[in-house]
Amino acid sequence: MMPRACPATFLMVTSFLPTINHFHMVASVDLADDDISSLDIVSKIHTDHDSITKASSDFGHIVEAVPNGVFHPTSPADIVALIRHLISQPKPFAVVPRGQGHSSRGQALAPGGTVIAMRSMGRGDHNHHVNMSSSPDQLWVDAGGEQLWADHGLAPRVWTDYLHITGGGTLSNGGIGGQAFWHGPQISNVHELDVVTGMGEMITCSPDKNSDLFFAALGGLGQFGIITRARIVLEPAPKRVLWVRIAYTDVDTFTSDQELLISEPSSGSGFDYVEGQVQLNRTLTEGRRSSSFFSASELDQLAKLVLDTGSTAIYYIEGAMYYDDDTASFVDQKLESLLEELNFVPGFAFVRDVSYVEFLDRVGREEQKLRAAGAWDVPHPWLNLFVPRSRILDFDAGVFRGILRDAKPAGPVLMYPMNRGRWDGRMTAATPGGGEGVFYAVGMLRSAVAAGDLERLERENAAVRAFCDQEGVGCTQYLPHHASPDGWRRHFGEKWGKLAALKRRYDPRGILSPGQGIFPAAAGGHEAGSDDSL
């Protein structure tokens, strides 16, 4: 049965009516630059069947939660007005910003509350502003939090692998990709934010101004405010890319070469992008016989390598070397010299020469194939982990050569290292403890495409988490999901006390993004984040 609006929807909408004049009065004082008509929030609440249905599920297709309404703002002032109304009520509705709804465990859902359709603000002028300073360090863009990375037509230092998600969404989580080893995650490449807090305040913040909110919001999982603008660092864009995959059957060699490639990122002699994948043997022998990178004959070659070596998995380093007209004459020699330093299986280096745009949107093209095959809008029980460098071989032995040894193919598994020094520990985003200089991102991005797949994948994910706990691997979840407050306390570790205090300051009613399950909503006069409400 499809979700439908409940009777409380009508009560929610009509409850706004007595306070419209109040919004106009507040706006004239605090938001004088905004058109007063934009503060008519009632007309922007949609309760029709299609709107409610779309807002009741997310990319994960695992959790369903029906909101009472979907709010379509046309400016950040609308969001301010909505939140100010909500917190004026004895029992405020929860509110959740939703870009593309690309969460996998209901984080972008608002059961019985209000979903803010952030993309509604992108229908007009995107408000790009680029400072064309002569210094590359001073190139930046002001981008709305509702905008897709694919919309920009610009070159941020760090791209996520999938571009059809919003800037506000990735900055609320971290934003990682193959350039993170060099520049850090996307949250390490932001100069300034505009954030609407759970108090209905629009606050501009930076490392030097309202810095506690700035660092809290970056990687803050939407708990402290809604990002409506981000000033993002840019760099000059190359024209073309040598896109490379090199294969390994031995995990020790694979990880050693990966760590070599990220060890001197500023030398200019290596890859501009470094990631890696683990392809289980059954993926090659039984999986979908198509690839956005490999040809059919190359897939046959890789499958034969599995059979000849008896390997449990094939490991790939995926690298990219950028070039333009000035460097085109020697980029091939540069790549050849780099490959000579690595210890992959001889004859298993595969190179594509593509445009920069084609390389960046490679996952978008794969999405179109999956949609055509009916394999996109399916459950995605993803599990993303950060694994300490010292335990990555133990993780491989216990998970890829143990728990998942005979797993059926269901989607890509990423595995690549990052330099901790490129992450700012003041931000909310959590990384593994222990202080090691390198940790690995492991993304088990699997899909449930057949009957019984979801239950099996969930069991395997649970077994992986249990293995990490039992063996003391020290993993930290990325795009985290925890079932209890204790799980969240362990996740944030020593940051927990400070985050609880920031929650009390910026969202004392506990209305922001409750789908994360971090801080229960306030009840009986208690504040969200207080010790007695956890």
Side-chain angles (χ1 to χ4, degrees), residues 291-349:
S291 168
S292 60
F293 183 92
F294 293 116
S295 67
S297 62
E298 288 168 343
L299 288 172
D300 290 339
Q301 185 180 353
L302 290 163
K304 186 176 185 300
L305 178 64
V306 167
L307 296 174
D308 290 346
T309 61
S311 177
T312 303
I314 297 293
Y315 305 86
Y316 306 111
I317 290 178
E318 182 171 53
M321 191 169 283
Y322 303 157
Y323 72 97
D324 52 30
D325 294 340
D326 295 334
T327 56
S329 61
F330 56 83
V331 68
D332 289 333
Q333 179 59 47
K334 179 181 173 183
L335 175 61
E336 183 178 343
S337 297
L338 179 60
L339 293 180
E340 288 176 354
E341 298 181 34
L342 305 177
N343 296 291
F344 54 92
V345 179
F348 283 82

Side-chain angles (χ1 to χ4, degrees), residues 360-410:
L360 291 180
D361 200 33
R362 62 200 181 280
V363 179
R365 294 194 305 278
E366 185 67 15
E367 174 191 350
Q368 297 307 313
K369 293 180 182 179
L370 292 171
R371 284 189 182 278
W376 182 259
D377 292 319
V378 298
H380 298 96
W382 287 6
L383 178 62
N384 292 274
L385 300 170
F386 289 156
V387 182
R389 174 191 186 183
S390 62
R391 302 303 303 274
I392 192 63
L393 297 183
D394 297 328
F395 183 92
D396 174 83
V399 175
F400 299 132
R401 288 185 284 152
I403 296 168
L404 302 182
R405 179 182 180 89
D406 297 316
K408 294 181 180 178

